[in-house]
Amino acid sequence: MYKVDAHTHDDIALLRRPGMDFKASQGVTTVVTGNCGISPAPLEPDTPTPAPISLAVDGADARYPSFGAYLDALRRQPAALNVAPLVGHTTLRARCMAALDRPANADEIAAMQAHVREALDAGAFGVSTGTYYPPAAAATTDEIVAVCRPLAGSGGVFATHMRDEQDAVLDSLQETFRIGRELGVPVVVSHHKVTGERNRGRSAETLAAIDAARRCQCVALDCYPYTAGSTMLHDDPVRLQGRVLIAHSEPEPGMAGRDLDDIAREWGCSKLDAVKRLQPASAIYFMMDEADVQRILAYEPTMIGSDGIPLGPKPHPRLWGTFPRVLGRYSRELKLFPLETAVWKMTGLTAGNFGLEGRGTIAEGAWADLVVFDPDAVIDSATYDEPQRAAPGIEVVVVNGEPVWQAGQGTGARPGRVLQRRRSG
Ligand code: ZN
Ligand code: CU
């Protein structure tokens, strides 16, 4: 089998940590990058990169003036794994707009469109948005449709971290479907979830809405197998409700792994003041219900994506544990679905949705991306306390015919390629 991580933020890790141990150790052979509106290109050296762009773009070596330049860098210095990259709308806004707290005007839309065209010509697999986040929250549906116009007929996809995964999650789904219909392109609902106490159980409604939309358009979705999410450290009190763990803090690296409430108590300040002192930072938020996570994972069209953020010593355990956890915990132990279904959700389903040709199934003439694993032993061992642990049970991982992971460690081989998008929708 062959695993595609449907949702990653590995754009720069591919260049800085080309062994990609945190993914190779799980049996991942291809990563889809550029998610949630965030990509390292196109950015000038002086383009401001507010959070969450800063989660992926954290240094002068992490920005590229064009998508083509980024892909050239990946080709010059291949990683262990293949990559199917998306271009991020939030990055485009940062690059093309003087202020991010309003919708784009006609000139800015034209400039962003030109970058989308350049990215698609260079080989991007589609466009992602992250209207949930402050730098893109003011973008209207019309802005997004206009910016993404070059996607129509390109064979690329529209992937989105939706505007709202809480009370207005159904409205967000309808917005996503509308964008897909207006452009005539497949949409991918990223890391689908419903958050907040009062929305517990509402995945029954969201999956029904997705089912209804799938009768008339292409809708895909991915999910990670945890009840906590992880992203930038928010400074909005509404988004700080519930338990918050610090994953990474630039000025206060010693606080990684600590509870925000404990930090505030120790510093004798309010939670919001502690947040200010910790920024730039990322955090882990406990905000979902296990029953919703299981319902979404078990939904037939759901792909597996880690949404891992390869940053700091205490990342969310999904970075190292997502795929073994689905195989070992959700399939074998909890019997949420058979092993074959678990494998399909990480391989053929994902390769088909993103148009990865010659990948995702084992066949004569297909690329030799293979994983040998022990179905009785595979399980995640990464935890919130010890998140950087390789999973047992993954024996050999082969990318383009070369072993990249074997006997519990990386082999040093770098056979990864920038994959090519299918050319028609
Ligand atoms: Zn996201
Ligand atoms: Cu993401």
Side-chain angles (χ1 to χ4, degrees), residues 7-9 35-36 38 133 161 190-191 224 230-231 307-309 318:
H7 187 108
T8 83
H9 295 283
N35 281 288
C36 299
I38 309 163
Y133 293 107
H161 182 157
S190 294
H191 45 58
Y224 51 80
S230 180
T231 186
D307 199 12
I309 302 169
R318 66 194 182 184

Side-chain angles (χ1 to χ4, degrees), residues 94-170:
R95 166 73 185 253
C96 299
M97 296 178 66
L100 299 176
D101 57 353
R102 56 167 175 77
N105 63 35
D107 288 346
E108 291 160 342
I109 286 174
M112 287 191 270
Q113 246 182 19
H115 285 295
V116 169
R117 216 169 282 120
E118 184 273 331
L120 290 170
D121 287 345
F125 275 71
V127 182
S128 78
T129 60
T131 39
Y132 168 76
Y133 293 107
T140 60
T141 312
D142 290 337
E143 170 187 321
I144 293 166
V145 170
V147 168
C148 294
R149 187 57 68 191
L151 260 184
S154 71
V157 303
F158 172 76
T160 178
H161 182 157
M162 300 192 299
R163 215 176 273 283
D164 191 305
E165 294 171 318
Q166 207 156 353
D167 300 3
V169 63
L170 287 175

